[in-house]
């Protein structure tokens, strides 16, 4: 089975007229635009389709419109199929869209949160004289060295996005960025000024944190249905509380996109689908994911649907959670030679797993899946399988089946 990763874009993917064909052709998109418009107090359709281009690029408007459009496109993509997603993530703002798609918060809360986020960020950068540039064609380590050299002269430029090995985004005052641009270009880098309102993902955003943190505390986060990777750590969120904490830190911390990609590539992610306007992330991912496939739903919807249908068919041929538990139970080495204990802790639980395997695997409840994992853990403990191997096997099963909501069972191994 090919592991599927869904990615959502952040600010910078917006443009005047974005989403018009999705809006015209899909009721779910129109419904989401209507719901969001009621929540934010202005018409998203008017903003995206008829307002002057400068309006949709404003931070307070761009973020809300990107969240709503990207999520509505995700709903269009999945409305007739249950796709076997292994992980989700997003770039900056896109991480919130990923959390929404993974069920970690409600649509209403996501819209309110992003509205507060965009307004706080826009207010913070108003007349700040700050901005961002992208340094390309130079390795990250060399860019960091140049920044360190430049800052030693009393300047303050900060890395904002680790996008790829040869694409690093920097934040600072406009004067400092101008000086650093010359410094980088003298050393062979190409520097591109970004069309953004301020120095995002840096300490220059500190004044936006209090209002955003207040909004975060009004949101109830739950365990995502699939792992969602954090821009702050480059790894999957561990709990609803870690989501809240990470999102608060995200405004002033660099986006570790390349670390997220590396983590997922290491976990054998093979198919990547960007869901949102344009294909900014597809361009960043192409070449960075080895032999993995990269697609944009906005640019090639029929191709993406065909790929997803193929993955659905492959998923049907794979053993489900109970089958994988049976396989793991049989494959682990036995280190317990107490016959009575083996009969009680291995033979009997294995027979119960076999009984579960006779049920319709498509309709198994979370409780039944939990029972299967408990039986597997009983078998492995009785066999005296090392805890590290127990954890690896359980997490591998949950990753393959997409049952991330049950992954806390692996945490029980530490208790």
């Amino acid at each position: 089975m090919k592991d599927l990763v869904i990615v959502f874009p952040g600010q910078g993917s917006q443009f005047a007229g974005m989403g018009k064909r999705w809006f015209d052709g899909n009721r779910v998109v129109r419904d989401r635009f209507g719901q969001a418009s009621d929540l934010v107090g202005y018409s998203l359709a008017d903003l995206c389709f008829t307002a002057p281009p400068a309006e949709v690029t404003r931070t307070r408007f761009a973020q809300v419109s990107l969240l709503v459009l990207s999520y509505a496109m995700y709903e269009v993509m999945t409305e007739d199929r249950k796709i076997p997603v292994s992980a989700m993530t997003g770039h900056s703002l896109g991480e919130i869209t990923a959390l929404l798609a993974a069920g970690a918060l409600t649509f209403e809360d996501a819209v309110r949160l992003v509205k507060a986020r965009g307004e706080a960020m826009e207010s913070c950068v108003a007349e700040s004289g700050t901005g961002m540039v992208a340094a390309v064609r130079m390795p990250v380590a060399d860019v960091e060295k140049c920044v360190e050299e430049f800052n030693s002269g009393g300047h303050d430029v900060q890395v904002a996005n680790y996008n790829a090995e040869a694409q690093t985004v920097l934040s600072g005052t406009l004067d400092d960025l101008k000086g650093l641009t010359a410094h980088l270009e003298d050393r062979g880098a190409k520097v591109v000024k970004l069309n953004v309102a301020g120095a995002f993902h840096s300490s220059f955003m500190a004044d936006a944190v209090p209002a955003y943190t207040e909004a975060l505390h009004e949101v109830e986060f739950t365990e995502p249905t699939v792992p969602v990777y954090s821009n702050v750590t480059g790894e999957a969120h561990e709990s609803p509380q870690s989501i809240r904490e990470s999102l608060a830190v995200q405004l002033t911390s660099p986006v570790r996109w390349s670390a997220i990609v590396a983590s997922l590539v290491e976990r054998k992610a093979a198919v990547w689908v960007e869901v949102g306007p344009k294909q900014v992330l597809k361009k960043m991912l192409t070449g960075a994911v080895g032999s993995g496939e990269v697609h944009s739903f906005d640019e090639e919807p029929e191709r993406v649907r065909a790929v997803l249908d193929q993955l659905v068919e492959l998923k049907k041929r794979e053993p489900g959670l109970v089958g994988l538990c049976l396989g793991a139970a049989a494959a682990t080495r036995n280190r317990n030679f107490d016959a009575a204990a083996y009969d009680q802790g291995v033979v009997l639980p294995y027979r119960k797993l076999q009984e579960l395997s006779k049920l319709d695997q498509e309709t198994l409840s979370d409780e039944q899946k939990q029972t299967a994992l408990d039986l597997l853990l009983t078998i492995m403990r009785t066999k005296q399988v090392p805890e590290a191997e127990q954890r690896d096997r359980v997490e591998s099963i949950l990753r393959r089946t997409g049952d991330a909501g049950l992954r806390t069972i692996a945490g029980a191994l530490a208790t």
Side-chain angles (χ1 to χ4, degrees):
M1 180 67 192
K2 296 179 179 180
D3 279 0
L4 168 66
V5 179
I6 304 296
V7 298
F8 297 93
Q11 193 170 344
S13 290
Q14 73 279 352
F15 62 93
M18 69 175 185
K20 186 67 165 64
R21 64 189 173 94
W22 295 105
F23 182 91
D24 290 343
N26 298 275
R27 183 181 182 86
V28 65
V29 180
R30 295 192 293 274
D31 287 346
R32 288 302 187 190
F33 267 58
Q35 282 180 273
S37 297
D38 290 341
L39 290 167
V40 298
Y42 55 84
S43 169
L44 277 183
D46 288 347
L47 172 69
C48 291
F49 310 144
T50 62
E55 285 297 287
V56 77
T57 61
R58 287 183 60 184
T59 299
R60 66 173 56 217
F61 296 141
Q63 294 195 11
V64 170
S65 56
L66 282 169
L67 169 93
V68 175
L69 174 58
S70 297
Y71 180 63
M73 288 173 62
Y74 175 76
E75 290 187 304
V76 171
M77 187 178 76
T78 59
E79 61 185 344
D80 295 325
R81 55 179 67 78
K82 182 181 179 181
I83 60 175
V85 182
S86 296
M88 292 185 182
T89 191
H91 194 282
S92 187
L93 161 73
E95 183 181 338
I96 300 176
T97 317
L99 289 164
L100 171 59
L105 72 167
T106 66
F107 178 77
E108 291 78 10
D109 277 348
V111 172
R112 293 190 188 100
L113 179 62
V114 171
K115 178 177 184 288
R117 184 182 192 268
E119 289 174 350
M121 291 174 69
E122 183 172 299
S123 296
C124 181
V125 301
E127 300 179 5
S128 66
T130 61
M132 304 174 81
V133 299
V136 298
R137 301 178 187 172
M138 177 180 279
V140 173
D142 291 348
V143 173
E144 289 179 322
K145 183 178 179 181
C146 286
V147 170
E148 184 179 354
E149 292 171 351
F150 182 75
N151 284 345
S152 66
H155 306 289
D156 185 16
V157 175
Q158 301 169 33
V159 176
N161 299 351
Y162 291 96
N163 283 340
E165 176 54 29
Q167 185 184 129
T168 310
V169 176
L170 307 166
S171 284
T173 66
L174 297 179
D175 286 341
D176 276 355
L177 291 176
K178 183 178 180 181
L180 179 62
T181 294
H183 191 71
L184 287 166
E185 289 178 341
D186 286 345
R187 288 154 181 78
K190 179 182 178 182
V191 181
V192 179
K193 183 178 179 181
L194 301 184
N195 184 23
V196 294
F200 300 149
H201 298 292
S202 72
S203 62
F204 292 96
M205 297 304 301
D207 288 345
V209 173
Y212 183 48
T213 300
E214 183 178 342
L216 279 167
H217 282 292
E218 295 176 0
V219 175
E220 180 181 354
F221 291 99
T222 58
E223 189 76 22
T225 57
V226 299
V228 176
Y229 279 67
S230 164
N231 282 227
V232 172
T233 66
E235 295 291 341
H237 287 289
E238 296 178 350
S239 67
Q241 183 58 27
S242 80
I243 292 172
R244 192 188 316 278
E245 293 170 354
S246 177
L247 290 180
V249 173
Q250 193 204 72
L251 292 190
T252 53
S253 296
V255 171
R256 300 189 180 277
W257 182 254
S258 57
I260 292 174
V261 174
S263 294
L264 288 166
V265 168
E266 184 180 354
R267 288 164 175 77
K268 312 302 181 187
V271 180
W272 304 69
V273 176
E274 178 179 7
V275 183
K278 299 170 73 172
Q279 50 182 338
V280 172
L281 297 184
K282 178 185 175 182
K283 291 177 180 178
M284 276 201 282
L285 290 168
T286 301
V289 297
S291 60
E293 302 176 38
V294 186
H295 304 281
S296 162
F297 187 56
D298 193 39
E299 299 291 332
E300 44 181 346
E302 294 311 313
R303 173 60 180 158
V304 168
R305 288 188 175 102
V307 169
L308 296 180
D309 287 343
Q310 182 184 48
L311 292 177
V312 169
E313 288 304 311
L314 289 172
K315 179 70 174 177
K316 290 178 181 178
R317 301 174 199 168
E318 279 210 334
L321 183 140
V322 176
L324 291 172
C325 286
L326 281 167
T332 47
R333 175 186 169 190
N334 177 47
R335 297 172 176 82
N336 186 348
F337 299 101
D338 182 326
Y342 189 87
D343 186 63
Q344 189 68 30
V346 176
V347 176
L348 291 180
Y350 192 84
R351 287 174 180 167
K352 291 179 181 179
L353 275 175
Q354 288 177 316
E355 289 301 313
L356 279 173
S357 71
K358 296 175 184 178
L359 303 176
D360 182 355
Q361 299 302 296
E362 290 294 318
T363 61
L364 283 183
S365 66
D366 284 348
E367 183 178 359
Q368 289 169 317
K369 292 177 182 179
Q370 184 81 48
T371 297
L373 289 169
D374 289 341
L375 290 168
L376 172 60
L377 286 170
T378 297
I379 292 169
M380 291 194 293
R381 285 169 178 155
T382 303
K383 285 185 167 186
Q384 298 177 5
V385 175
E387 285 193 358
E389 183 181 346
Q390 292 182 43
R391 185 175 292 105
D392 287 346
R393 287 187 179 274
V394 170
E395 289 181 346
S396 174
I397 289 170
L398 296 177
R399 190 164 57 246
R400 288 181 64 181
T401 61
D403 290 297
L406 299 174
R407 64 192 172 101
T408 50
I409 189 69
L413 296 172
T415 62

